[in-house]
Structures are given as structure tokens and as C-alpha cells.
Amino acid sequence: MINAAQTCSKIELSADNILIVDDTPDNLRLLSKTLIKEGYQVRCAINGAMALLTIKTKIPDLILLDVNMPDIDGFEVCQQLKKSELTKDIPVIFVSALDTVFDKVKAFEIGAVDYISKPFQILEVLSRVSNQLNLQNLRRQLIQKNQLLQIEIYNRIAAETEIQQLNFDLEKRVVERTMQLQTEINQKQKVQKELEYIAWNDSLTGLPNRLYLIKKLKKLLLKIKDKPDHKFTTIILDPNRFKIINDSLGRQAGDQLLKMMSQRLKSEISAANIEITHFGEDKFAILLEKTANEQQAIAVVQDIQKCLASVFVIEQREIFISSNMGIVVCDSSYSEPEEIFRDADLAIQKAKHSSSNFYRVFDTTIQNNTLEILEIETDLRIALQHREFHLNYQPIISLNTATIVGFETLVRWNHPYKGFISPGKFIPIAEQTNLILPLGMWILQEACQQIRVWQDRLSGKHTDFTVSVNISGKQFEQEDFIQQLDQIVADTGIDIKHLKLEITETLLMNNIEIADRVFRQLKDRKIQLAIDDFGTGYSSLSYLDRFPVDTLKIDRSFVSRLNEKNQASTIVKATIDLAHNLGFNVVAEGVESQQQIDQLKDWGCEFAQGFLYAKPLMKEPAWQFLHQNLKGANSTKTKLIL
Ligand code: C2E
Ligand code: MG
Ligand code: MG
């Protein structure tokens, strides 16, 4: 930026100084005297050369120049002045005795501003001098103004350029900042999305998680609130073997299986309006937003079953998985997702206990059932205090000798108002509520006391019998189970060879590590062991190899179907063969027909138990049965059907 004030001060001139050039001293004197009097600064030169020198030392504001001079005349002086940039603008007034038009024209042509003829009138000189100085001043002011204007223009252009540059820079920065902000926003959105993804999805399966499901269900429930006709369906899928897979193959294999299951579900079941979520642990939830119809939901459930039915290969092992599914058709009577989960869970439990179906649609009977369960739980507590239980004994027969080899003890509950309640009903509730622990101990104690009675009655007769007692998995899990057992054995004084413990296959497989430890301790005490209800669980026979088991009891559901030519027959035969290979003997449970006996005998099954021989008996009829049918105990024994 150029400073105008500084520039102006440079071109400001001092008071008017006039150079008088004349070779006539009188003229010089008169003119200088007059002009000094008028306040001008006056310098004088008496010829052209002197004039040029004087001008060089200080530029005059005006020159009064005589034309006729001896060496360099006035015209010449003027011409030289006009050639120089420094002096060309000095106003020159010729003062001359020559008064021809030619002289005047020439004077103006070479650049003079005025012409005064000699002899001059002093007033005229003063007037012309003053005019020219004014003119010169005006010219200078004009030049100065012009310069200021140019500076102004220059400054404006510079300012505009600067503004343009600043604008450009600003725009550039705005663009850069916008881009930077956009990147930051994008990054934040990405992080936000990632956080949301983590919050709403399961990291293992990549499926939406339980939290997501809860959010979604809350939204759907809100949507159908006060609209009794609007419904949707929630299915919870609970695989059956997960604990076994985790325990036997390790958690990693379990995770791998979950991943594979979710991939299959995603690729084969996913469709519009079907949303699959990982419900937690090994469970999945399937949300059918547009399905209010049980039949449609069942069709989906069947598709899911088919999709998961084929083999999964994990760590070069072939794994088959079966599941139970609870279906809840959700309407406006539900207000919280937890209520849906509760009902789905009840439906799953029902499906688990059903032999016909792997799924169950939740309905009010299940709910009533739940209330009944609660009632049984309360009654069980009272029953324990009031000793409402007793034991029955069901004979177990040797198919080779047609004699009794022992009994299975079966607990009975005679409810004071409700009458007989089946153990199939109350044992699972007792297990869920841990009431099986005191009840189980009472059963063991009672059974051992009975063994002691029969042992005493048969003493000296060289007879053998065993009494099998059903033991719940919960009892096995008790740290002090063995101590309690030792105590009972010691208190009752039984010969340990008469005692056999039964544990169901499913409980065994769900408690492999505990079973390993407890079985070993039992074996150390020479207590016999039986695997109960074999075939209903999922263990493979080869897996059972690790347990020191004596007996395998084939579940009634297989034995009852032996008459037909079906898969059950094949399974029973294969089970007997494999059990023998592993050194186990076999008891067929629930034998009801001669045909079944024939078949079982044919396949080499050692023992049978069932209504064909006897129903579970009270202790005295049981003793009668034992006494009459025990090998070598009584010669008048009734012939058992074989
Ligand atoms: P389980 O241990 O497999 O007992 C055999 C069940 O089959 C008994 O049912 C018995 O009455 C029944 N049964 C035997 N032969 C036949 C037959 O020919 N036909 C038919 N239809 N059924 C037959 P129950 O007494 O109802 O017991 C059911 C289940 O309850 C038992 O199955 C066992 O798991 C459990 N349980 C019974 N008593 C006890 C006990 O004292 N302790 C424990 N922990 N569980 C018990
Ligand atoms: Mg049993
Ligand atoms: Mg059984």
C-alpha cells in the first residue's frame, strides 16, 4: 500500500522562486526588486549559460527569460530546458524587445507559457507572473491530485486483489475445513454405526442380539397396543445338545457350531418379515412380524428344523443337532418382551417333555400347567414334612433263568386331597426346586432300610438280589453325596452288593465331569451303576466307554415299539450288541408282551422289567415276589413267563 501523505510531501514545493535571465543589468535589477517586493524569491542570471547552471542547482518555479542574449539566446535556453525531464515543466515567460508575430509564435512553439514585450509594464509583468505561477500551482495540484488518485486507484486495486486473494484463501479454507469436517462427521458416523452395530449385534454370530430383539419387540408391542386383531409371532429355538458339545469338544467347538447354525439360518430361513436374532447362549429367536397364524408359524418352525437337521462338521467330527422351539403368537395382552420370553420358555419346556413334537405353541393350558407346577412345588414341601411318600418295588427278571434278580425302587406320592401323583410329574419339579435333595436322600435311606430287611430275611440262603435306586443329577452334583451315601450304608448296615444306582442318560451327559468323579468313587465302594432310559438322550455308546457302568437300561419307548418292524427294533438290537461289546449287561424297560420277550431273548438281552411280570409293588407284595422267584430261594416258585 502506498502512503499518499508521504508521496504528497515529497512533491510539495517551497515559496515561489523565480529566475530572471537578462543580459541587461537594469532590467534585472528592476524586475528582481519588484518581484522581491511582491514576496517572491528571486535569482538572477545574466546569460543563457549561467541560467542553465542556476536552474540545475535549484529548479525555479518560473523563469523570466530574455530572448536576445549574447551567447545562448533565450530560445536556445528554453529548448534545452524542454528536453530535460527535470526542467521541461518549468513555465517560461519570454521577455523581449522583439515583438514580431514570428517571435511570439516561435516562443510558444518551443514551450513558452507567455510572452512579455519590452519595454515592459511592471504591472503587466506582475500580473503575468502571478498568472503563470497560479497556473503552475494548479498544474502541480492537478499532478498531485492525479498522483493521489493513481495511488488511490493502485491501493484500491491492491486492496481488491488482496480481498480477492483473501476471499480465495477463505474459500479454500472453507472448502478444506468443510472437507475436514465432512471427514470427521463421516468418521464419527462410522464410529457411531460401529458402536450401534456392537450394541445391537452379537459378535460371534453377527446376528442381531437380545437387546435388539427387546427393542424391536417393545416397538411391535407398542404398535399393536389397543388393537386386539393385530398379532405377530416370536419363536425361541433352544438346541438340545449344546452343553454336551461344549463339555466334550470344548467351548471353541461350541462357538463354531453356533456360527454355523446362524449362517444356515441366515441363508435358508431369512426372508422378508422373518428376522433371526441370537437370543443369548445357545438360543436363537425368530421374529415373524407379519405372522399371526399358528399354522404359518409351525411351517416356519418345520423349515428351521429341516434346515438344522443335516450334519455339521466341526474339527472333523460329524455333529447332529436337534432343537426344541417355543412359539408365541403375541397380541395386545402382552406388554413387555419379558412376558413373551417367559411364555416361549414354558412352551419350550412343554416341547421338551413331549414325545411327539419338538415345538409347542404357547396357549393358556401351558399357563394353567405352570400354575399347577407352582402348586405341586408348595405341596411337595408339605409332603416332605408330612412324609406322604412311600416306595414301590418293580421286579427285574433274568431272561436266562426266569428268576428275579432284583427291583427298581419307584417313589410314590399319595397326596391327601389330590390322590396319586405320578413321579413323572413331581420329580422334574422336585429337581427344578432342589427339593429332590431331601427327597432323594429319604428315598435312598428308605431303599437301604428295605434292603437290610430283605438281606436279613434271606441271610444264609446264598441268594443275590439288587435294589436299584434312581438318583437325580442334582444329587450327584452335591459335594457331600458320597459322604451321605456312606453314612446311610453304614447306618443301615447293608451289604453294598445289593445296591445299584440308576442315573438317566441325559443327566449323565449333562454332568460328564461330575459323573466321572462320582462314578469312580462309587466304583471304589463296589456300588453297581446303571444308565437309565438309554436311547432318549444323545450319548453315543462309544462315549459311555469312559464310565465304569454295569448296566444299560433301554428306554420303554423303544421296547414298546419292538413288535413292529421299525427303526426302534434296529436301535434296540444295535444297543444290545454294543452294550455287550463294552461289557455292560442290558435291562429292557417296560416289557409288556411275550413277543417283546422273545425278541429280546433272541438278541441276548439279559434282563427285563415291565408290567408283563409285575407292576411296581408295595414292599410286602414285593417281598412275596422276591421270595417266590429268587433263584435258589424257594423251590415252590411260580414259573415266570419267558
Ligand atoms: P424310570 O426310572 O425309567 O422308571 C421306570 C418307569 O416305567 C416307572 O414309572 C415304571 O412304573 C414304568 N414302567 C415299568 N414297566 C412298565 C410297563 O411295562 N409299562 C409302562 N407303561 N410303564 C412301565 P414311574 O414309577 O411312573 O416313574 C417314572 C419316572 O420317574 C422314573 O422312570 C424315574 O425317572 C422317575 N422316578 C421314579 N421314582 C423315582 C425315585 O425314587 N427317584 C428319582 N430320582 N426318580 C424317580
Ligand atoms: Mg429308573
Ligand atoms: Mg427308566
Side-chain angles (χ1 to χ4, degrees), residues 85-108:
E85 230 0 81
L86 259 179
T87 51
K88 72 176 175 36
D89 291 329
I90 305 169
V92 175
I93 301 173
F94 279 110
V95 183
S96 175
L98 302 173
D99 199 16
T100 63
V101 172
F102 170 78
D103 290 331
K104 286 183 183 170
V105 169
K106 190 180 175 186
F108 285 119

Side-chain angles (χ1 to χ4, degrees), residues 626-637:
L626 177 68
H627 190 240
Q628 285 170 14
N629 298 298
L630 200 56
K631 196 178 169 190
N634 193 328
S635 54
T636 62
K637 67 172 185 176

